[in-house]
Amino acid sequence: MCLPPDSRSHRVSFPYALVLFDLDGTLVDSAADIAEAVNRTLDELGHSREDEATVRSWIGLGTHVLLDSALRHAGSRADVAEVMPRLMVHYEDCLLLHARLYPGTREALDALAGAGVAMSMATNKPERMARVLEQAMGIDGYFTHVVGGDTLPERKPHALPLLHLAALHGVSPRDTLMVGDSEADAGAAKAAGMDLVLLRHGYPRDFDLERAGAVAVLDDLAPLPHLSRSPTDSP
């Protein structure tokens, strides 16, 4: 699988019937808002605030891991389950403070929609907040379904969210592409038997994107609609 050198200026036929997108770190840069929510929670517990770069390193595996990382880093012995309601209040309050689409996102979604490609969202963000965020960013119309971290019994990196969405669309995993930025996205795609594209602009934590087995690792979403599939990769 490859991207032609002139992929930003020439359209090619898209080789997948369905694309599943992660949200935070893939479509939307929301790290500043997530960091503020974490810091307001730490404030309430009497701990020092952390810089955005540090909080970025905790994003990607859902709110439980996010909060657990923050508490352990602060030296807190507080129970994650007990503190979680506080975090979620701040998480919602901070949801739309500074969030923004990554450059090239809307253009890529437009191109895929124009090519008749079905799209849905698989995020570890709570579903209700994911829907609020996608609507605020003006991209909700692109996605047929949204599965959040609390929608199903399992979340990424489990295969269930991806397989559930593929089944809703009636598309086989072989004809589905997962687009994300983290180890959770890569793990889910591998478990589901789906091809994977990773974005460098997201929140990989300490995950090596280049060795994840993705069919492409991109700086942004602009080249995505021009992705090609070699004959040996096709169904």
Side-chain angles (χ1 to χ4, degrees):
M1 194 163 298
C2 60
L3 290 167
D6 56 351
S7 64
R8 293 177 185 265
S9 58
H10 292 80
R11 293 186 63 177
V12 296
S13 177
F14 199 73
Y16 298 92
L18 171 64
V19 181
L20 304 179
F21 286 92
D22 175 50
L23 180 57
D24 298 294
T26 298
L27 300 169
V28 176
D29 185 359
S30 54
D33 293 350
I34 295 173
E36 180 60 21
V38 168
N39 280 320
R40 290 185 186 186
T41 305
L42 292 174
D43 285 343
E44 287 187 351
L45 296 174
H47 298 298
S48 299
R49 285 181 158 241
E50 295 296 337
D51 59 79
E52 183 182 320
T54 299
V55 179
R56 277 178 179 265
S57 72
W58 302 333
I59 300 172
L61 295 175
T63 52
H64 186 280
V65 173
L66 172 71
L67 180 56
D68 183 66
S69 299
L71 294 175
R72 301 295 82 82
H73 185 81
S76 174
R77 295 184 179 181
D79 182 78
V80 173
E82 291 181 1
V83 179
M84 184 61 72
R86 297 191 192 185
L87 173 65
M88 297 315 295
V89 168
H90 297 311
Y91 200 97
E92 185 167 9
D93 288 345
C94 298
L95 192 62
L96 304 176
L97 294 180
H98 306 290
R100 63 180 182 85
L101 290 179
Y102 284 108
T105 294
R106 192 178 305 279
E107 293 80 2
L109 295 177
D110 277 340
L112 291 172
V117 178
M119 292 178 278
S120 279
M121 185 181 296
T123 173
N124 279 345
K125 200 180 202 76
E127 181 182 340
R128 183 174 64 84
M129 296 187 193
R131 290 184 180 278
V132 170
L133 182 56
E134 65 162 356
Q135 184 175 12
M137 297 294 103
I139 58 173
D140 53 305
Y142 294 105
F143 303 107
T144 306
H145 304 287
V146 175
V147 166
D150 56 354
T151 304
L152 301 170
E154 302 287 350
R155 65 176 64 195
K156 300 178 298 183
H158 198 280
L160 180 60
L162 277 58
L163 293 175
H164 176 75
L165 286 168
L168 287 177
H169 282 275
V171 176
S172 72
R174 189 79 177 86
D175 291 323
T176 303
L177 178 68
M178 177 66 203
V179 179
D181 68 296
S182 71
E183 185 174 6
D185 299 316
K190 182 177 180 179
M194 297 176 182
D195 281 347
L196 170 73
V197 166
L198 289 169
L199 279 301
R200 295 189 182 95
H201 63 204
Y203 318 132
R205 298 169 67 95
D206 56 356
F207 184 57
D208 188 343
L209 301 179
E210 307 298 332
R211 297 186 178 183
V215 298
V217 181
L218 308 177
D219 292 326
D220 57 56
L221 284 169
L224 180 65
H226 309 282
L227 196 70
S228 63
R229 196 173 190 178
S230 67
T232 56
D233 291 335
S234 299

